[in-house]
């Protein structure tokens, strides 16, 4: 902007007026963006001063154009003195602009550093999370696997203990069904097996009792048969002895005759 003003003063180029106005509009827009982006009270104060200084600086160019348009009424020396006076008037707003821009630049740099620090911290957090989350997931997986294995091995161990008891001949034990999965089906089948074995043993015991009773009855019948046989044998012996006596009697009778 100052270059366009100098080109108008030194070279008398009227085209600089159009270019200056176009650039001044763009400069105003940039200043307004800076003002709106101010966050802290100090930044807002500096931005307001910069807006005011911008208005004064850009307004001075209208005075330069006015003097340029009156150049035919003044000598070259008077014209240059007028330009110099107008340039001196812009020293204050230019100084404010430079100071404000320097301050805002430092503030933006500070914010950028703070944002970078926060971004670095966020990246560190993400990196830490990328390490912690898999570890937590692994620990949870181990815990889940432990309890899953325990839910399987515990019923199997209980069935193994009951199997040992049944193998020792105790069929009074009972198997509890603790789930509805494959382990539960195995528990139910094992309980059914114990019930069937108990029924089989009880049936065998009844048959054994019946066989023992039948054996006792057969033994008694055999004893009775043996006693009857003895009595018959005694009777036969008696008959034989009687017959022998009769024969002896017949022989004695024959001899006498």
């Amino acid at each position: 902007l100052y270059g366009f003003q100098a080109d108008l003063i030194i070279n008398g180029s009227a085209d600089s007026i159009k270019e200056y106005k176009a650039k001044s509009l763009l400069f105003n827009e940039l200043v307004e963006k800076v003002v709106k982006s101010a966050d802290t009270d100090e930044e807002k104060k500096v931005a307001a001063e910069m807006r005011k200084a911008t208005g004064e600086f850009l307004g001075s160019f209208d005075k330069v154009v006015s003097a340029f348009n009156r150049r035919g009424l003044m000598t070259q020396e008077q014209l240059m003195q007028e330009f110099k006076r107008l340039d001196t008037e812009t020293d204050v707003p230019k100084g404010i602009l430079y100071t404000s821009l320097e301050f805002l630049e430092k503030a933006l740099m500070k914010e950028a550093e703070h944002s970078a620090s926060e971004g670095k911290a966020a990246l560190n957090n993400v990196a830490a999370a990328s390490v912690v989350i898999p570890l937590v997931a692994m620990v949870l997986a181990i815990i889940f696997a432990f309890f899953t294995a325990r839910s399987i091995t515990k019923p199997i161990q209980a069935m193994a203990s009951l199997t040992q008891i049944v193998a020792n001949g105790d069929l009074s034990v009972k198997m509890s069904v603790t789930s509805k999965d494959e382990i539960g089906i195995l528990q139910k089948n094992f309980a059914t097996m114990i019930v069937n074995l108990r029924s089989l043993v009880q049936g065998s015991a009844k048959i054994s009792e019946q066989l023992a009773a039948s054996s006792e009855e057969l033994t008694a019948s055999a004893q009775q048969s043996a006693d009857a046989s003895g009595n018959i044998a005694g009777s036969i012996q008696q008959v034989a002895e009687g017959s022998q006596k009769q024969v002896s009697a017949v022989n004695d009778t024959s001899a006498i005759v």
Side-chain angles (χ1 to χ4, degrees):
L1 292 176
Y2 193 70
F4 292 131
Q5 182 174 319
D7 186 47
L8 177 64
I9 294 172
I10 297 172
N11 300 320
S13 176
D15 293 335
S16 299
I17 299 175
K18 294 180 181 180
E19 294 179 1
Y20 183 91
K21 288 182 178 180
K23 296 295 183 181
S24 64
L25 291 175
L26 179 61
F27 185 73
N28 260 325
E29 291 177 0
L30 293 175
V31 170
E32 289 301 319
K33 289 182 180 180
V34 172
V35 172
K36 291 179 180 179
S37 66
D39 295 327
T40 64
D41 292 338
E42 188 175 4
E43 289 179 1
K44 291 178 180 179
K45 181 180 178 181
V46 173
E49 292 177 354
M50 186 176 68
R51 175 192 281 169
K52 182 180 178 182
T54 300
E56 293 176 357
F57 176 73
L58 296 178
S60 66
F61 186 73
D62 294 334
K63 296 179 182 180
V64 173
V65 173
S66 177
F68 178 76
N69 292 332
R70 291 184 288 108
R71 63 185 181 279
L73 303 175
M74 293 182 288
T75 62
Q76 185 66 25
E77 183 179 354
Q78 289 175 338
L79 182 61
M80 294 307 297
Q81 287 179 354
E82 181 65 13
F83 285 152
K84 185 175 181 180
R85 183 184 66 79
L86 294 174
D87 182 60
T88 304
E89 288 181 359
T90 61
D91 288 344
V92 175
K94 282 191 295 186
I96 295 174
L97 283 173
Y98 290 139
T99 304
S100 300
L101 289 173
E102 185 178 359
F103 172 83
L104 292 174
E105 182 182 4
K106 290 181 180 179
L108 290 174
M109 289 296 295
K110 187 176 181 180
E111 289 181 3
E113 291 176 358
H114 180 69
S115 299
S117 178
E118 289 182 348
K120 185 177 181 181
L123 288 175
N124 291 335
N125 292 334
V126 171
S130 65
V131 175
V132 172
I133 291 175
L135 289 176
V136 172
M138 184 173 63
V139 171
L140 291 176
I142 292 173
I143 294 174
F144 177 76
F146 171 77
F147 283 105
T148 301
R150 187 176 180 182
S151 66
I152 296 173
T153 58
K154 190 175 181 180
I156 293 176
Q157 290 174 351
M159 283 189 289
S161 300
L162 290 178
T163 302
Q164 184 64 39
I165 295 173
V166 172
N168 292 332
D170 186 0
L171 297 176
S172 63
V173 294
K174 293 182 179 181
M175 181 76 245
S176 300
V177 179
T178 59
S179 63
K180 296 182 180 180
D181 54 7
E182 288 77 5
I183 298 297
I185 295 173
L186 183 61
Q187 291 173 332
K188 184 178 180 180
N189 293 337
F190 187 79
T192 303
M193 183 188 69
I194 293 175
V195 172
N196 292 337
L197 284 175
R198 190 184 300 122
S199 299
L200 180 62
V201 171
Q202 290 175 350
S204 298
K206 288 181 180 180
I207 293 173
S208 296
E209 290 176 357
Q210 292 175 356
L211 289 174
S214 298
S215 178
E216 290 178 359
E217 291 177 358
L218 289 173
T219 301
S221 297
Q223 185 63 39
Q224 289 176 0
S225 297
D227 291 342
S229 297
N231 292 331
I232 292 171
S235 297
I236 293 173
Q237 182 66 33
Q238 289 176 359
V239 171
E241 288 178 356
S243 298
Q244 185 66 35
K245 288 179 181 181
Q246 289 178 357
V247 171
S248 296
V250 171
N251 289 333
D252 290 340
T253 302
S254 295
I256 292 174
V257 175

